[in-house]
Amino acid sequence: MSRESENTDDEPSKWMKFRSLLVFSMLLRVFLIVYGEWQDAHMEVRYTDVDYIVFSDAASLMASGESPYKRTTYRYSPLLALLLTPNSFFHRSWGKFLFSASASQCVDDLFLCRFGIYFHVSDLLVGWFIHKILKQRKVPEKICTYSVMVWLFNPFTFTIGTRGNCEPIVCAMILWIILCLMQGNLLQAAFWYGLVVHFRVYPIIYALPIILVLDTQVFRSGQKPALLYWNTGQAKTPASNMERKTFLFNLLTTLKSLFSRERIMFALISGGVFLACNAVSFYFYGQEFLHEALLYHLTRTDPRHNFSIYFYHIYLHYERQFSAVEKLISFLPQFTVQFALVFCFSQDLVFCIFLQTVAFVTFNKVITAQYFVWFYCLLPLILPWSHMKLKWEGLLCIIMWIGAQTHWLLWGYMLEFKGVNVFLPLWIASLLFLAANTFVLVRIIQRHRFSPLFRRYESSSSSNNVTKED
């Protein structure tokens, strides 16, 4: 599709061109990795994430022919240990470069889209995918640049990969799945979705909105789905009455044609890849893999302090086994919110999975700071459709979220480093953090311009009931 001419006023300055930003981001990450090596060798507080040490130890065990699950607290797919085996014979920072390295800009877009080959899976690749998704939806270059900067120059995101956390790989895979869907390549989308759920279980929550969006009025055999662009419906108010009526009608027709060819194909391929990966892992590592990589995450009860409101109850009752009813009750808020969000926003797919991710983290039984990167990679994709102004409402949301987090961290510092019994104030801080997350999430929803990802083809049965979207 040819690129439409844009007003020169919308073009960013030379130093803010996307390629320049990507190169600068790459240099920043290389510097941080090198600096991290120095800090680890000369300072008491290490720069490298403790999880990276776990990954490296597991990879070393795999390289020597042993099970990576012999390393206590390694609770990930064997694929992660396999990716990091060069740590043992090449350099211990191999994984950090893998998590932070740049995707080659010389790669032909068509080749990448057709074959889905990752030359480097990293947070810079996430930035490149964000830019590509926004450009395919005809977002102006200046807005694209500012949105990508939210990821590339976020202090949290550029430290997470350089400290050795594997979450950027998962983020890149999720964005690639969105790109495959936008290209109409369901086979690749299904393959990578099955793989990413095996690699990290939490993306299973995206299954329902993806299935719902695979409508016969959107995906047709041999045709690339039509996208709704950024400037479509600019004059409409967020979630207008017509949009709501249209969505409800589309939801009813979706439920009637639930077992379409596209949905069955996606479910079979993604489910097959997921089961195949698990079967191979189980063949090599048996019950250790099943328990550590899968079942553990369903039954996890962490008594250590974390952002979750459940941590205090778990801490007080950790010595006894929790009943099935108690475990079910802890999942109910998550399930309820997830279904409500999917019911309301599934056609606006990117916005839906962003909301799902924020809600999933907010109501989870265990919340650590690394989980925030799960929705950071999706935030730049919804900003162009937000009516929220940075001054003052945006700043208020940022200050509230960071303030609630900082307040919690102060009590956590008192407990962790000073040994002061502040469990009750820490739990109250968790409640305030939940309230801040909920407030920000509601404000984002209220200021969002509902915009389905795909344009629906008109059918004879719906043309008399639904006005065609322009």
Side-chain angles (χ1 to χ4, degrees):
M1 188 173 294
S2 62
R3 182 175 174 177
E4 297 177 359
S5 60
E6 297 170 354
N7 192 310
T8 55
D9 293 338
D10 292 334
E11 290 291 336
S13 57
K14 184 176 180 180
W15 69 271
M16 284 185 61
K17 293 288 187 179
F18 175 67
R19 289 175 183 268
S20 301
L21 293 176
L22 203 62
V23 170
F24 182 75
S25 301
M26 180 182 64
L27 295 175
L28 173 63
R29 284 157 173 78
V30 171
F31 168 77
L32 288 173
I33 292 173
V34 174
Y35 167 77
E37 289 294 306
W38 179 88
Q39 180 174 322
D40 290 349
H42 295 89
M43 299 180 68
E44 182 179 359
V45 179
R46 296 175 61 90
Y47 181 82
T48 300
D49 194 321
V50 65
D51 285 343
Y52 186 72
I53 299 173
V54 175
F55 302 158
S56 299
D57 291 345
S60 179
L61 287 168
M62 178 177 279
S64 62
E66 299 185 71
S67 169
Y69 299 104
K70 287 186 177 180
R71 175 54 161 98
T72 55
T73 71
Y74 181 76
R75 300 186 174 98
Y76 302 86
S77 165
L79 290 177
L80 178 59
L82 182 64
L83 286 172
L84 297 189
T85 49
N87 279 19
S88 304
F89 55 83
F90 182 66
H91 194 276
R92 62 188 177 187
S93 294
W94 160 264
K96 294 181 181 179
F97 281 100
L98 181 69
F99 301 151
S100 304
S102 171
S104 171
Q105 291 303 298
C106 297
V107 178
D108 181 78
D109 288 356
L110 184 60
F111 180 79
L112 182 63
C113 290
R114 284 182 178 175
F115 296 100
I117 295 176
Y118 283 176
F119 290 92
H120 300 285
V121 185
S122 62
D123 58 346
L124 284 180
L125 186 57
V126 170
W128 187 69
F129 283 163
I130 289 170
H131 185 266
K132 188 171 180 63
I133 290 171
L134 294 179
K135 291 306 292 181
Q136 285 200 10
R137 298 195 71 184
K138 301 297 182 183
V139 176
E141 183 63 33
K142 190 173 184 179
I143 298 177
C144 279
T145 301
Y146 287 136
S147 298
V148 172
M149 288 175 66
V150 171
W151 170 266
L152 290 179
F153 297 103
N154 186 323
F156 183 82
T157 59
F158 66 64
T159 57
I160 194 83
T162 57
R163 295 185 67 226
N165 194 284
C166 69
E167 301 303 340
I169 289 181
V170 182
C171 294
M173 294 171 75
I174 290 171
L175 295 187
W176 176 248
I177 291 166
I178 294 173
L179 264 173
C180 288
L181 290 172
M182 293 171 66
Q183 295 281 347
N185 197 331
L186 295 186
L187 293 177
Q188 276 200 55
F191 172 84
W192 286 102
Y193 184 70
L195 186 63
V196 76
V197 174
H198 163 78
F199 196 85
R200 208 77 163 90
V201 179
Y202 85 89
I204 191 70
I205 63 176
Y206 307 145
L208 186 55
I210 291 176
I211 289 295
L212 289 177
V213 87
L214 297 180
D215 198 311
T216 53
Q217 290 183 313
V218 173
F219 288 86
R220 293 184 175 182
S221 179
Q223 297 184 32
K224 182 179 176 180
L227 302 177
L228 276 177
Y229 299 136
W230 174 78
N231 59 356
T232 302
Q234 281 285 343
K236 295 180 182 178
T237 57
S240 65
N241 290 333
M242 178 56 68
E243 286 175 322
R244 290 184 182 276
K245 291 177 182 178
T246 301
F247 171 72
L248 291 175
F249 178 83
N250 291 338
L251 184 63
L252 291 175
T253 57
T254 294
L255 294 175
K256 290 178 182 178
S257 59
L258 188 60
F259 298 101
S260 65
R261 174 182 175 274
E262 290 76 14
R263 292 189 177 116
I264 293 173
M265 182 180 69
F266 186 91
L268 289 177
I269 294 175
S270 60
V273 171
F274 173 74
L275 292 175
C277 291
N278 289 336
V280 172
S281 301
F282 183 78
Y283 174 79
F284 284 105
Y285 304 113
Q287 290 292 335
E288 280 184 319
F289 157 75
L290 199 61
H291 178 265
E292 299 293 341
L294 294 178
L295 299 179
Y296 170 80
H297 298 286
L298 297 177
T299 60
R300 182 179 182 182
T301 51
D302 196 337
R304 295 172 297 178
H305 58 284
N306 61 84
F307 290 104
S308 174
I309 61 172
Y310 298 105
F311 96 89
Y312 193 42
H313 176 76
I314 294 173
Y315 169 77
L316 293 175
H317 304 91
Y318 187 68
E319 293 184 357
R320 68 175 179 85
Q321 290 290 328
F322 290 96
S323 66
V325 175
E326 287 177 303
K327 292 179 180 179
L328 179 62
I329 290 175
S330 67
F331 279 113
L332 277 178
Q334 274 187 325
F335 287 149
T336 304
V337 174
Q338 291 295 317
F339 279 114
L341 293 174
V342 171
F343 180 81
C344 292
F345 300 106
S346 61
Q347 296 303 310
D348 192 348
L349 181 63
V350 177
F351 185 61
C352 181
I353 64 176
F354 169 80
L355 297 179
Q356 282 185 278
T357 310
V358 176
F360 179 83
V361 172
T362 300
F363 293 97
N364 203 25
K365 289 189 296 182
V366 179
I367 305 174
T368 61
Q370 72 184 53
Y371 293 177
F372 302 152
V373 77
W374 295 351
F375 54 80
Y376 277 160
C377 70
L378 298 166
L379 178 61
L381 298 179
I382 70 167
L383 290 179
W385 285 267
S386 177
H387 292 282
M388 184 183 295
K389 301 296 184 183
L390 182 60
K391 183 182 179 180
W392 295 97
E393 191 175 10
L395 284 175
L396 174 63
C397 290
I398 294 172
I399 291 171
M400 282 194 64
W401 191 78
I402 295 179
Q405 190 177 159
T406 304
H407 174 244
W408 187 97
L409 290 171
L410 290 174
W411 291 111
Y413 172 81
M414 294 293 292
L415 176 65
E416 185 77 17
F417 293 96
K418 299 298 183 181
V420 182
N421 186 353
V422 291
F423 277 100
L424 186 57
L426 189 62
W427 178 66
I428 295 175
S430 295
L431 291 175
L432 293 175
F433 186 62
L434 171 66
N437 273 280
T438 305
F439 173 82
V440 172
L441 191 63
V442 170
R443 299 306 293 176
I444 289 174
I445 293 173
Q446 290 176 338
R447 294 294 180 263
H448 179 72
R449 175 166 60 87
F450 181 81
S451 178
L453 179 59
F454 299 107
R455 185 186 301 275
R456 302 173 66 85
Y457 295 102
E458 288 299 320
S459 63
S460 57
S461 60
S462 62
S463 58
N464 295 328
N465 299 288
V466 182
T467 306
K468 184 176 181 180
E469 296 165 306
D470 293 323

